[in-house]
């Protein structure tokens, strides 16, 4: 039975209650002064658009419009918005396969991302990549990698290139908690420390590697402590559903990388509301657990903070939400009307000259 005073959950399941923990007031006050009200509202707008876009992507997948894999980010919006918000345009981003929201945070448009999910030629990867391979060189967004952990050495190489070319740029890379036991993680962090590379390794710990709880596969749940093995800084944010804490932590790590050419390992504790992918019913966790996590929903907490600090009214924030829903719906309509790549496109952007024609 719902608690007294609670309201009906939205499609994503987030609930509005009076018991929701507040965002960090001290950091919020500091960021309000540093960034200004309009920038904070832009960050809120981004998080809402991320969620509504993903909800629409989920519906499109169920309708058969999106083929293959589709890993949704719903519940983790504070991580993408807070971390990429701390970057400059000249910095680099490398992501894994749960990257739709990170691509949006980097400035990629809903229409272009949705077209890629639909496999259409106007998508950000010309319809050849799909959900796990979003890419935009102009925005320095280098994937979207489908192979678990493949993004970690790639990001290390990007950071090496930035240092070699004497760019004033930093690379951040996202990975899940299930990626950490892999050799690529340890080899990459070791080299990054030895070579003094400007890179921030971000572990998005949402509690599960596919369907396996993190405490069943890792001897330590605070994976930021592994940084000591590589003589680098390690930081853990236990409440990464607080966008202010994420922004401040990543800002400090990015500044450290920029000034000192040194890497940092950051663990951000977050939570995904949906299964590992659209084909995962997530029967490995209880309804009570999901409900408990939704009590600290990052968007609802941000809503509460903006209203309490009289930056925007509830009605104004509802209008932002309505516009986000309309954009997501329009993106799906746009993608539906676009063309699939031609057969000839199969031989474009490959490393060898293709001698055969397709019928």
């Amino acid at each position: 039975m719902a608690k007294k005073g609670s309201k009906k959950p939205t499609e994503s399941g987030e609930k509005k209650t009076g018991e929701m923990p507040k965002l960090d007031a001290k950091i919020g006050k500091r960021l309000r002064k540093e960034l200004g009200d309009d920038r904070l509202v832009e960050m809120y707008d981004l998080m809402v658009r991320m969620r509504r876009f993903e909800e629409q992507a989920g519906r499109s997948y169920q309708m058969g419009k999106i083929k293959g894999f589709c890993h949704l980010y719903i519940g983790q919006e504070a991580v993408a918005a807070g971390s990429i918000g701390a970057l400059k345009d000249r910095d680099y981003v490398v992501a894994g396969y749960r990257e739709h929201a990170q691509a949006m945070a980097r400035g990629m448009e809903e229409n272009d991302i949705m077209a890629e999910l639909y496999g259409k030629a106007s998508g950000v990867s010309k319809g050849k990549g799909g959900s796990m391979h979003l890419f935009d060189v102009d925005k320095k967004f280098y994937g979207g990698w489908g192979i678990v952990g493949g993004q970690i050495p790639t990001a290390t190489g990007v950071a090496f290139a930035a240092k070699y070319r004497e760019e004033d740029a930093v690379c951040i890379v996202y990975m899940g908690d299930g990626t950490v036991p892999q050799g690529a993680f340890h080899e990459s962090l070791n080299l990054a420390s030895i070579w003094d590379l400007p890179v921030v390794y971000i572990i998005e710990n949402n509690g599960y590697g596919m369907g396996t709880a993190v405490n069943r596969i890792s001897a330590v749940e605070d994976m930021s402590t592994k940084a000591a093995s590589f003589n680098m800084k390690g930081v853990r944010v236990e409440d990464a559903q607080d966008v202010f804490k994420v922004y401040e932590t990543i800002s400090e790590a990015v500044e450290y990388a920029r000034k000192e050419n040194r890497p940092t390992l950051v663990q951000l504790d977050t939570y995904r509301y949906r299964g590992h992918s659209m084909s995962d019913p997530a029967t490995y966790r209880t309804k009570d657990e999901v409900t408990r996590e939704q009590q600290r929903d990052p968007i609802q907490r941000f809503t509460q903070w903006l209203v309490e600090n009289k930056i925007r009214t509830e009605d104004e924030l509802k209008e932002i939400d309505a516009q986000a829903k309309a954009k997501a719906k329009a993106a799906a309509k746009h993608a539906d009307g676009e063309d699939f790549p031609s057969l000839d496109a199969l031989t474009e952007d490959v490393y060898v000259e293709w001698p055969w024609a397709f019928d």
Side-chain angles (χ1 to χ4, degrees):
M1 180 180 294
K3 293 181 179 179
K4 184 178 181 181
S6 64
K7 297 181 180 180
K8 183 180 179 181
T10 69
E11 182 179 356
S12 288
E14 70 265 34
K15 293 182 177 180
K16 299 177 180 179
T17 76
E19 303 168 357
M20 194 164 283
K22 295 180 182 294
L23 299 182
D24 190 296
K26 289 184 179 178
I27 302 176
K29 184 177 181 181
R30 194 158 57 237
L31 292 184
R32 186 178 185 184
K33 185 176 181 181
E34 175 187 335
L35 301 176
D37 290 353
D38 289 346
R39 174 77 187 284
L40 292 175
V41 173
E42 287 176 5
M43 196 176 292
Y44 174 84
D45 173 78
L46 173 62
M47 290 170 62
V48 175
R49 286 193 291 111
M50 289 173 181
R51 181 161 299 184
R52 302 314 173 204
F53 178 90
E54 294 252 293
E55 289 172 345
Q56 179 59 54
R59 286 192 292 272
S60 295
Y61 185 93
Q62 291 171 331
M63 293 167 63
K65 299 290 185 179
I66 297 173
K67 308 294 185 182
F69 292 101
C70 184
H71 304 83
L72 300 183
Y73 200 74
I74 296 172
Q76 301 184 204
E77 294 87 354
V79 172
S83 56
I84 293 182
L87 299 181
K88 305 292 185 185
D89 289 345
R90 60 181 181 273
D91 295 324
Y92 297 90
V93 179
V94 183
Y97 49 67
R98 198 183 305 278
E99 89 285 27
H100 308 160
Q102 292 149 356
M104 292 176 68
R106 201 51 179 160
M108 294 162 71
E109 297 294 333
E110 284 102 320
N111 281 3
D112 301 332
I113 298 172
M114 191 67 83
E116 186 60 39
L117 267 58
Y118 275 55
K120 298 301 181 69
S122 62
V124 294
S125 299
K126 302 180 181 178
K128 301 179 184 179
S131 170
M132 296 192 289
H133 299 284
L134 305 180
F135 219 87
D136 191 324
V137 173
D138 291 339
K139 298 189 182 303
K140 298 185 183 297
F141 189 86
Y142 287 10
W145 292 82
I147 302 300
V148 175
Q151 72 274 28
I152 307 172
T154 300
T156 305
V158 170
F160 175 83
K163 180 181 178 183
Y164 186 78
R165 295 190 295 235
E166 298 184 346
E167 298 177 14
D168 182 19
V170 173
C171 179
I172 68 171
V173 55
Y174 299 92
M175 68 197 80
D177 44 276
T179 300
V180 173
Q182 295 203 64
F185 170 87
H186 300 277
E187 293 165 3
S188 297
L189 270 67
N190 189 55
L191 283 179
S193 186
I194 290 173
W195 292 344
D196 294 321
L197 300 183
V199 55
V200 181
Y201 297 98
I202 298 175
I203 301 169
E204 293 186 273
N205 184 359
N206 59 27
Y208 295 93
M210 295 189 72
T212 304
V214 64
N215 60 8
R216 297 185 64 187
I217 58 97
S218 181
V220 292
E221 292 187 46
D222 181 359
M223 300 178 190
S224 68
T225 60
K226 296 179 184 291
S229 302
F230 310 108
N231 191 30
M232 69 172 66
K233 286 186 177 181
V235 183
R236 181 185 188 183
V237 179
E238 294 188 47
D239 182 9
Q241 304 303 72
D242 182 333
V243 66
F244 295 156
K245 290 182 179 178
V246 174
Y247 180 91
E248 184 166 83
T249 300
I250 301 303
S251 292
E252 291 173 356
V254 166
E255 197 62 16
Y256 176 64
R258 203 183 304 283
K259 289 183 177 177
E260 305 293 336
N261 267 329
R262 287 293 298 162
T264 301
L265 176 63
V266 182
Q267 174 170 306
L268 301 177
D269 292 356
T270 182
Y271 197 80
R272 58 170 159 80
Y273 296 167
R274 301 287 184 92
H276 173 70
S277 70
M278 283 299 297
S279 60
D280 174 16
T283 54
Y284 43 83
R285 59 189 185 185
T286 66
K287 185 178 180 181
D288 286 346
E289 176 188 312
V290 178
T291 300
R292 183 176 66 249
E293 292 292 338
Q294 288 170 341
Q295 297 293 330
R296 59 187 190 112
D297 182 81
I299 294 176
Q300 294 305 322
R301 292 167 71 185
F302 205 176
T303 300
Q304 187 179 52
W305 185 87
L306 289 167
V307 172
E308 286 182 354
N309 286 276
K310 303 186 185 306
I311 294 174
R312 293 290 189 275
T313 66
E314 283 193 39
D315 286 343
E316 289 171 331
L317 298 179
K318 286 179 180 176
E319 177 57 27
I320 289 175
D321 193 6
Q323 291 178 5
K325 289 178 181 175
K327 285 183 179 179
K329 188 175 180 179
K333 184 177 181 180
H334 164 80
D336 213 17
E338 294 294 288
D339 295 327
F340 287 107
S342 67
L343 281 177
D344 291 339
L346 286 171
T347 61
E348 297 172 353
D349 307 319
V350 295
Y351 288 109
V352 295
E353 185 174 348
W354 197 263
W356 304 285
F358 291 99
D359 295 327

